[in-house]
Amino acid sequence: MDLRKLKKLIDLVEESGIAELEITEGEEKVKIVRGGSGGREVVVLSPPAQGANPPAVQAAAASASAPAPEKAPAPEGHIVKAPMVGTFYRSGSPGAKPFVEIGDAVKAGQPICIIEAMKLMNEIEADKDGVIKAIMVENGQPVEYGEPLMMIG
């Protein structure tokens, strides 16, 4: 797992307000826990099969245990969570325009993404009116039940 992906996961935990996030990718396992003393995130990594963490992962673990720099308050809003396990897609077909972009106004019931589960494409709809503040998942990324997908403010 590369440093950019780890940073994005740490930011996701910080922005969404969830207490804990655990992801397994191949032989690598990352667990991010929010809270503790000083409100820091803790990253626990199980080593890959080769027996040693790549330098980027070691750097991410070291930076995660350092005090967090002062940031602007995270945007507040309603989190749309994955209702199932599957693969997240922002558009109805490859190369098509995404259903929504950050800054788009949405109405409750409007399709905002698709989750493919067991070869079925399931449209995920906005469950409240508002504006898309954040898209927290990359196109084509696997998602778990309850994982934050988007923030509507």
Side-chain angles (χ1 to χ4, degrees):
M1 195 171 292
D2 68 9
L3 182 60
R4 287 175 295 188
K5 193 178 261 188
L6 284 170
K7 173 74 172 120
K8 194 169 198 172
L9 290 171
I10 291 168
D11 290 344
L12 171 68
V13 169
E14 203 171 352
E15 290 172 8
S16 67
I18 60 176
E20 182 176 303
L21 177 67
E22 186 171 340
I23 295 182
T24 303
E25 194 173 276
E27 295 293 319
E28 298 175 327
K29 187 174 188 178
V30 177
K31 183 174 182 179
I32 303 170
V33 181
R34 183 176 171 86
S37 62
R40 298 180 189 155
E41 288 84 16
V42 178
V43 179
V44 179
L45 304 168
S46 62
Q50 299 88 343
N53 289 334
V57 173
Q58 292 172 350
S63 70
S65 63
E70 290 296 318
K71 289 186 179 180
E76 291 188 21
H78 171 73
I79 302 292
V80 177
K81 296 180 181 177
M84 64 191 70
V85 174
T87 304
F88 173 86
Y89 295 106
R90 292 186 58 198
S91 62
S93 62
K97 183 178 176 239
F99 288 108
V100 294
E101 296 285 353
I102 294 175
D104 287 355
V106 294
K107 298 276 186 199
Q110 175 182 339
I112 57 174
C113 65
I114 289 178
I115 295 181
E116 177 187 5
M118 299 179 65
K119 304 294 180 193
L120 294 174
M121 300 296 183
N122 301 283
E123 280 190 351
I124 308 304
E125 300 175 344
D127 48 1
K128 93 178 244 184
D129 295 350
V131 175
I132 300 295
K133 296 287 187 184
I135 300 173
M136 303 169 173
V137 184
E138 294 293 324
N139 196 43
Q141 178 179 334
V143 293
E144 297 282 333
Y145 174 79
E147 184 173 337
L149 302 175
M150 297 185 189
M151 181 184 294
I152 300 176

